[in-house]
């Protein structure tokens, strides 16, 4: 089993290493250029990667080794566990993989190429930040802030569809939804996570309220308004 695992791992790394490098570079290039061509090529490479992670024969062999409980080397055993979990979350239909990748790529492209429209001019994220940081005109701040958030309306339908597709894939594998699957396959669970955040909330709540009041005091003076009149666009994003 040790030899079989080493052989499987080496084969996997040989298949994935070069492809992952190409996919990451193409995604970076697409995010910079914003070109449809680059995003399409990025999606194609991501699909090729997903096919490797969805390899049912590889997953079957890894499961056989894992279930045998014969791997004693701690590093190899950990490699097996991590790769098994990675593949376990990808064992659904290839057509569904393509749908998820295509819609994810579309959403990423929309975010990358979106520019807010202010006073008839397309402005960059840096220009938005400058206005939110320096302006004390509440109406201007509101208009710029709301325009910068318009991307939400543009991608909302696709984001909802992406959630549904991911949940569909997770349910095919026996999970309640994608969120649950992601947590369990990263060796976490919703109950423990909730407990951590509840504990964190209790620990920082008082400090947060003090700091929030300090921020509100500063911003109310900056904009010449009462604390209870502060709106999201006053908080410099």
């Amino acid at each position: 089993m040790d030899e079989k695992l080493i052989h499987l791992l080496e084969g996997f790394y040989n298949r994935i290493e070069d492809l992952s490098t190409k996919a990451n570079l193409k995604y970076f290039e697409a995010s910079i250029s914003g070109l449809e061509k680059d995003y399409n090529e990025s999606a194609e490479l991501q699909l090729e990667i997903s096919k490797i992670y969805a390899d049912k024969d590889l997953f079957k062999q890894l499961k056989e080794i894992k279930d045998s409980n014969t791997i004693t080397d701690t590093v190899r055993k950990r490699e097996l566990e991590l790769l098994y979990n990675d593949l376990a979350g990808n064992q659904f239909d290839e057509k569904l993989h393509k749908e998820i990748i295509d819609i994810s790529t579309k959403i990423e492209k929309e975010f990358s190429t979106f520019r807010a429209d202010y006073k008839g001019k397309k402005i960059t994220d840096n220009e938005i930040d400058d206005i939110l940081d320096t302006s004390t005109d509440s109406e201007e701040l509101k208009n710029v802030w709301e325009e910068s958030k318009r991307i939400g309306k543009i991608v909302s339908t696709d984001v909802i569809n992406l959630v549904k597709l991911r949940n569909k894939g997770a349910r095919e594998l026996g999970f309640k939804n994608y969120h649950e699957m992601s947590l369990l396959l990263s060796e976490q669970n919703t109950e423990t996570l909730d407990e951590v955040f509840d504990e964190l909330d209790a620990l920082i709540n008082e400090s947060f309220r003090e700091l929030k009041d300090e921020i509100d005091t500063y911003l109310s003076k900056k904009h010449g308004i009462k604390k209870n009149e502060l709106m999201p666009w006053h908080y410099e994003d």
Side-chain angles (χ1 to χ4, degrees), residues 33-65:
S33 72
L35 295 176
E36 188 82 24
K37 171 179 170 292
D38 289 335
Y39 274 101
N40 289 339
E41 290 179 17
S42 174
E44 289 171 8
L45 289 166
Q46 287 297 328
L47 184 59
E48 289 303 308
I49 289 175
S50 77
K51 288 178 181 178
I52 296 175
Y53 279 96
D55 188 326
K56 287 182 169 45
D57 182 59
L58 174 58
F59 180 66
K60 181 181 177 181
Q61 293 183 71
L62 289 171
K63 187 175 187 304
E64 179 187 352
I65 297 171

Side-chain angles (χ1 to χ4, degrees), residues 47 50-51 53-56 87-101 165-166 168-173:
L47 184 59
S50 77
K51 288 178 181 178
Y53 279 96
D55 188 326
K56 287 182 169 45
L87 267 68
N90 284 278
Q91 296 301 300
F92 51 85
D93 181 65
E94 184 179 320
K95 182 173 177 288
L96 183 55
H97 269 292
K98 186 176 187 310
E99 290 181 76
I100 289 172
I101 289 170
L165 289 172
R166 284 176 168 173
K168 180 181 178 182
R171 285 194 295 270
E172 283 185 14
L173 301 178

Side-chain angles (χ1 to χ4, degrees), residues 201-212:
D201 180 56
L203 288 169
I204 68 170
N205 187 49
E206 185 177 346
S207 297
F208 170 79
R209 289 181 182 278
E210 290 175 1
L211 181 58
K212 175 66 163 53

Side-chain angles (χ1 to χ4, degrees), residues 6 17 22 49 61 67 76 90 99 101 127 139 162-165 174 176 185-186 198 213 216 218 222 232:
I6 292 170
E17 188 173 9
K22 288 179 180 177
I49 289 175
Q61 293 183 71
D67 290 345
R76 288 280 182 231
N90 284 278
E99 290 181 76
I101 289 170
E127 289 174 307
E139 192 63 27
L162 177 60
V163 169
K164 290 178 178 179
L165 289 172
K176 182 180 177 182
L185 293 180
S186 59
D198 286 343
D213 185 64
D216 288 352
Y218 167 78
K222 176 182 177 181

Side-chain angles (χ1 to χ4, degrees), residues 136-196:
T136 54
D137 183 333
S138 288
E139 192 63 27
E140 178 182 45
L141 290 169
K142 179 182 178 181
N143 291 335
V144 170
W145 185 86
E146 288 185 340
E147 175 61 22
S148 73
K149 305 306 176 190
R150 186 168 52 85
I151 183 62
K153 292 181 181 179
I154 295 173
V155 301
S156 60
T157 300
D158 286 332
V159 169
I160 290 170
N161 288 335
L162 177 60
V163 169
K164 290 178 178 179
L165 289 172
R166 284 176 168 173
N167 285 342
K168 180 181 178 182
R171 285 194 295 270
E172 283 185 14
L173 301 178
F175 297 94
K176 182 180 177 182
N177 52 45
Y178 180 79
H179 176 65
E180 179 191 73
M181 182 182 78
S182 298
L183 285 175
L184 291 174
L185 293 180
S186 59
E187 302 171 338
Q188 303 178 73
N189 62 70
T190 54
E191 292 79 13
T192 302
L193 202 61
D194 286 343
E195 288 173 7
V196 169

